[in-house]
Amino acid sequence: MRNVPGRGQKADRRALREALVEACADAGASIGMLYLPDPDPTRRVLHLALASGLSREFAAPWSRVGLDDPIPVADAVREGRLVWLGGQEDTARRYPRLGLVLPYDFALAAVPLGEEAADRAREPTGAGLVFLWPGSHGPDLDERERKALESARGLLTRVLARAAGEGRPLRPTPHPIVLRPLPAPTPGPAEAAATMAFVRRLPGGNCALDLNGTITFITPEAADLLGAPVCDLLGALPWEALPWMDTPAIENHYRATAMSRLSRSFIAERPTGQRLCFDLYPDNTGISVRITTVSDRPPAGTHVPPADPDQHAPSRATALYPLMLLAATLTEAAHAQDVVEKAADQIVPSMGAHALALLAEQDGRVRIVGHRGYSAAHLAELDGTPVSADTAITHILRTATPLFFGDVGELLVAHPDAVVEDGMAAWAFLPLIASNRPIGSLVLAYGHPRVFAPGERAVLTSIAGLIAQALDRARLYDATHQLARSLQTGLLPHTLPRVPRLDVAARYLPAAYGLEIGGDFYDLIRIDDTTVAAAIGDVQGHNVNAAALMGQVRTAVHAGAGAPPEEVLARTNRLVTDLEPGLFTSCLYAHIDLAGHTVRLASAGHPPPLLRHPGGATEMLNLPAGLLLGIEPGTVYTAVEIPFGPGALLAFFTDGLVEAPGRDIEDAIDAVAARIRAAPEHRPLGDLADELIEHAHRDGPRRDDIALLLLRAAGP
């Protein structure tokens, strides 16, 4: 039979769906989620591809997870390990953002998909699997669950590997595929009639919700108690069909029941003053609800005050969770681009938007801060528009007044010259106001015409306020960061001197957090045609003070260059001690005699260098570890002399190259030595330096700066 394009991939996706559902059943898990990597290998992002036992609304905020985000599945994939959360307290302690947005009782396991940990280390953006168990689960995984989890990991890995091996790698879809639960057996006519008779004989009213919260069945008695006809309630969300139930507390009870799979009860009051008791009983297909009136002696349960009867927003409760998640997420945004990415990750799926753009005013013109969903060409036309122009965007920047357009016609009536991009049908233009001043605007575009109800407008305005505060902080941080980086760039050598018979390469990589400025430094000082001095060091701290001291230490080393290494360190130590900076400094200094083929080294508490001998053998030099600079003014340092003939290579580095959370430093040094050993004899040092830096960066965000200096003695 002729091969039909896409048929193999459809079979692969079907196999993934079946494997996920089967794995959940085997493990006794209530919820299963499969994450796939972004198709672009440069983007460290995981996309939720499949979800089982979860509503689409619950899945939306977690449909896109940054690989460096503090989320269990990101940690599992990035670090190649099992992440286990034994309950609500464990979740809140280890993952505060997750605990804030989902303050419910459940157990969670996240594992990476892949055959070997080594493979995952080489490819850190692999797939991930997440299981959730009901809140009744104990604090530990039992052996059966562990085996089921491992079996699921292996099965899903094989499906993904087979598809990739046959040239059709499975990619995430634009939106997660939410699998429907298996339907219950269909009863016969007699059994159905008996079931309905049984339900009607129960006191009070009864109804059923699916995992999305939609009412799928309701008795007339329940409808009477709720105060609405059956036809208005079937297929609706309770808090949307009944304004008096539109409170965050009521929806929170539903969410807690759906996530924890634990029964619960609460009391709510109708506008008439009648008090109703709701008993919720969940399973993996939905929630059964029993509704009874509360007597003069109310039963135990949580009382929910009535909602404002005049409020007609499309669910204030539903909007609360995107706001909470966005607020928690934006606290981690350091740069302006971080604000764009994190805001888009949350708003676009949660609020049903098609595209998002953040804009700011600079020198009287509109500037694009970032966007998602818009074409780059469309926004390039807007970038640089004078603020005095008559457009919706400039109107926001001038007046700080929000604008809402429910369809294209409304937009063109207000702004006839507006350019409408394909696929856009409704817009919200919102001012970004921080510290009582406008700093930019947020534009949300929707794929279909819509009515912006007052409640939704209030929610979108609140979202804009959160983004404005985060963007204001980020822009201040970016300005400070640029100032600090300029300071450090000015203190590090711009170029290294050319020395006959010596190949040189140097690299510097700032830390991945804070101001990205520190005290790591390197230097190469030409003394004459056959003599050169090399130095590398690390000042304690990651701030402007550390950078300033680094400049002073580097100047002192320069001033003493040419003297024996032990004397250079002793003089520099006296200077640093006299300065009393309150910071300590490590330093490694080498005096290289290219004519005599020797190098003399002394260390002030700095990691010893790696030496590759001609032929490839590589070792860490055993140097006397002198005291750090700045502690004791009379410290004496000891130098060691070693051969440094043609073909020999010295690698000086700071500890940022080999230190990573959870990794043994000796193993890390051995890994660097192995890469140096494996490098071809005449490979350009710049390429080797790039490889070493890239290898260190793969272990995740660095908590320290990296300075690297490679020196190789050439032939005559």
Side-chain angles (χ1 to χ4, degrees):
M1 185 177 69
R2 188 176 62 179
N3 182 40
V4 179
R7 174 170 295 177
Q9 193 164 76
K10 289 181 180 178
D12 293 332
R13 292 191 180 279
R14 183 170 60 252
L16 276 182
R17 292 195 293 268
E18 293 173 353
L20 182 63
V21 172
E22 180 182 346
C24 283
D26 290 345
S30 53
I31 294 172
M33 295 183 284
L34 173 66
Y35 282 85
L36 295 179
D38 193 278
D40 183 351
T42 64
R43 296 177 63 85
R44 295 171 59 83
V45 175
L46 299 172
H47 298 269
L48 179 58
L50 295 176
S52 173
L54 192 67
S55 72
R56 188 172 301 279
E57 181 188 346
F58 275 34
W62 311 101
S63 60
R64 188 177 186 275
V65 173
L67 200 58
D68 298 319
D69 286 352
I71 300 296
V73 67
D75 285 352
V77 172
R78 188 181 65 252
E79 300 172 11
R81 64 180 178 90
L82 164 70
V83 174
W84 168 253
L85 300 176
Q88 185 175 4
E89 183 178 342
D90 196 17
T91 301
R93 184 179 69 254
R94 295 169 54 193
Y95 293 93
R97 185 209 292 185
L98 187 65
L100 172 67
V101 182
L102 297 176
Y104 311 126
D105 204 3
F106 56 83
L108 179 148
V111 293
L113 299 187
E115 296 297 336
E116 302 291 342
D119 293 338
R120 293 193 296 272
R122 286 194 296 271
E123 185 58 45
T125 56
L129 176 64
V130 180
F131 280 172
L132 273 72
W133 284 266
S136 55
H137 193 284
D140 300 308
L141 270 175
D142 63 30
E143 189 61 26
R144 179 186 65 83
E145 294 163 341
R146 191 177 295 274
K147 287 181 178 179
L149 189 61
E150 187 61 27
S151 175
R153 189 186 75 87
L155 178 58
L156 291 167
T157 295
R158 288 192 293 273
V159 174
L160 293 173
R162 183 179 67 243
E166 295 175 359
R168 51 173 190 272
L170 292 173
R171 305 297 191 190
T173 53
H175 303 286
I177 297 174
V178 178
L179 306 178
R180 293 184 178 181
L182 295 175
T186 302
E191 185 181 5
T195 301
M196 285 302 301
F198 166 78
V199 171
R200 292 183 187 280
R201 284 193 294 267
L202 295 174
N206 298 277
C207 69
L209 311 177
D210 64 14
L211 291 177
N212 290 311
T214 303
I215 300 174
T216 58
F217 167 81
I218 187 167
T219 62
E221 294 81 2
D224 289 342
L225 288 172
L226 295 176
V230 170
C231 60
D232 289 351
L233 296 174
L234 275 177
L237 296 171
W239 39 89
E240 291 186 355
L242 302 165
W244 63 272
M245 293 192 76
D246 185 16
T247 70
I250 287 180
E251 191 184 355
N252 184 64
H253 286 299
Y254 149 71
R255 286 175 169 264
T257 304
M259 288 297 296
S260 69
R261 299 294 203 265
L262 296 176
S263 59
R264 65 193 290 129
S265 299
F266 66 92
I267 299 169
E269 184 176 327
R270 289 184 54 185
T272 60
Q274 183 183 29
R275 302 171 76 212
L276 301 177
C277 181
F278 295 81
D279 299 307
L280 282 61
Y281 303 97
D283 68 4
N284 288 344
T285 64
I287 301 173
S288 296
V289 183
R290 182 169 178 251
I291 309 170
T292 55
T293 57
V294 177
S295 63
D296 293 338
R297 186 178 179 183
T302 305
H303 177 255
V304 179
D308 182 358
D310 296 327
Q311 173 64 39
H312 300 291
S315 183
R316 295 168 297 162
T318 302
L320 174 66
Y321 294 91
L323 279 172
M324 290 175 59
L325 184 56
L326 180 63
T329 302
L330 289 178
T331 60
E332 300 161 5
H335 301 283
Q337 194 57 39
D338 293 340
V339 175
V340 176
E341 292 295 324
K342 293 182 183 297
D345 287 349
Q346 300 303 325
I347 295 174
V348 171
S350 298
M351 305 305 293
H354 179 77
L356 169 150
L358 284 179
L359 308 101
E361 177 186 355
Q362 183 178 344
D363 299 327
R365 294 187 178 273
V366 175
R367 295 301 176 191
I368 308 299
V369 179
H371 62 92
R372 172 80 59 79
Y374 278 104
S375 69
H378 177 73
L379 289 183
E381 296 179 2
L382 296 176
D383 195 40
T385 302
V387 174
S388 57
D390 184 19
T391 68
I393 292 173
T394 55
H395 175 85
I396 296 295
L397 293 174
R398 290 196 308 269
T399 66
T401 303
L403 295 175
F404 298 91
F405 301 105
D407 56 39
V408 175
E410 291 183 12
L411 175 64
L412 294 179
V413 167
H415 300 281
D417 297 330
V419 178
V420 178
E421 189 172 0
D422 291 344
M424 311 290 184
W427 295 264
F429 295 85
L430 304 158
L432 299 179
I433 300 175
S435 302
N436 295 321
R437 59 184 178 85
I439 64 168
S441 62
L442 165 67
V443 181
L444 294 175
Y446 299 82
H448 301 283
R450 67 192 292 119
V451 175
F452 291 97
E456 185 177 9
R457 296 186 181 205
V459 169
L460 293 176
T461 302
S462 298
I463 287 174
L466 291 174
I467 294 175
Q469 295 174 28
L471 184 61
D472 196 36
R473 292 193 305 268
R475 293 173 72 183
L476 176 61
Y477 177 93
D478 284 341
T480 306
H481 165 262
Q482 183 58 42
L483 176 62
R485 292 289 292 132
S486 298
L487 170 63
Q488 186 162 41
T489 301
L491 293 174
L492 288 172
H494 294 283
T495 59
L496 296 176
R498 295 181 177 273
V499 180
R501 292 183 289 174
L502 186 68
D503 296 332
V504 181
R507 297 290 185 269
Y508 175 79
L509 183 70
Y513 79 111
L515 283 180
E516 297 185 5
I517 178 172
D520 287 20
F521 69 93
Y522 60 86
D523 211 345
L524 187 70
I525 307 160
R526 178 171 175 167
I527 298 172
D528 56 41
D529 287 347
T530 62
T531 310
V532 63
I536 193 165
D538 185 356
V539 179
Q540 172 192 9
H542 296 86
N543 51 39
V544 175
N545 292 336
L549 181 59
M550 176 264 283
Q552 293 169 320
V553 171
R554 182 169 168 250
T555 300
V557 170
H558 252 274
E566 58 272 29
E567 291 186 17
V568 173
L569 290 184
R571 295 172 186 173
T572 304
N573 177 57
R574 286 194 292 272
L575 171 66
V576 174
T577 307
D578 289 343
L579 291 174
E580 296 183 353
L583 301 174
F584 303 130
T585 305
S586 70
C587 185
L588 177 66
Y589 181 88
H591 183 92
I592 303 171
D593 183 354
L594 296 170
H597 305 302
T598 62
V599 57
R600 190 172 177 84
L601 306 103
S603 174
H606 196 82
L610 294 169
L611 172 65
R612 170 176 159 156
H613 299 277
T618 304
E619 63 173 326
M620 174 174 279
L621 295 179
N622 185 18
L623 302 180
L627 201 61
L628 293 168
L629 304 177
I631 297 178
E632 174 56 51
T635 301
V636 176
Y637 296 92
T638 303
V640 172
E641 186 171 289
I642 61 170
F644 190 60
L649 184 152
L650 274 169
F652 298 81
F653 56 89
T654 56
D655 51 14
L657 184 72
V658 293
E659 284 188 351
R663 188 175 186 186
D664 183 81
I665 190 169
E666 292 186 2
D667 292 342
I669 293 174
D670 290 343
V672 173
R675 290 182 176 273
I676 294 175
R677 184 186 309 114
E681 189 80 23
H682 299 291
R683 182 182 186 185
L685 283 189
D687 293 348
L688 177 58
D690 290 338
E691 179 186 338
L692 296 178
I693 292 292
E694 181 183 359
H695 175 69
H697 192 62
R698 285 179 180 176
D699 289 334
R702 311 300 300 180
R703 294 191 172 276
D704 202 355
D705 310 318
I706 298 175
L708 175 67
L709 180 63
L710 301 180
L711 307 171
R712 182 170 60 198

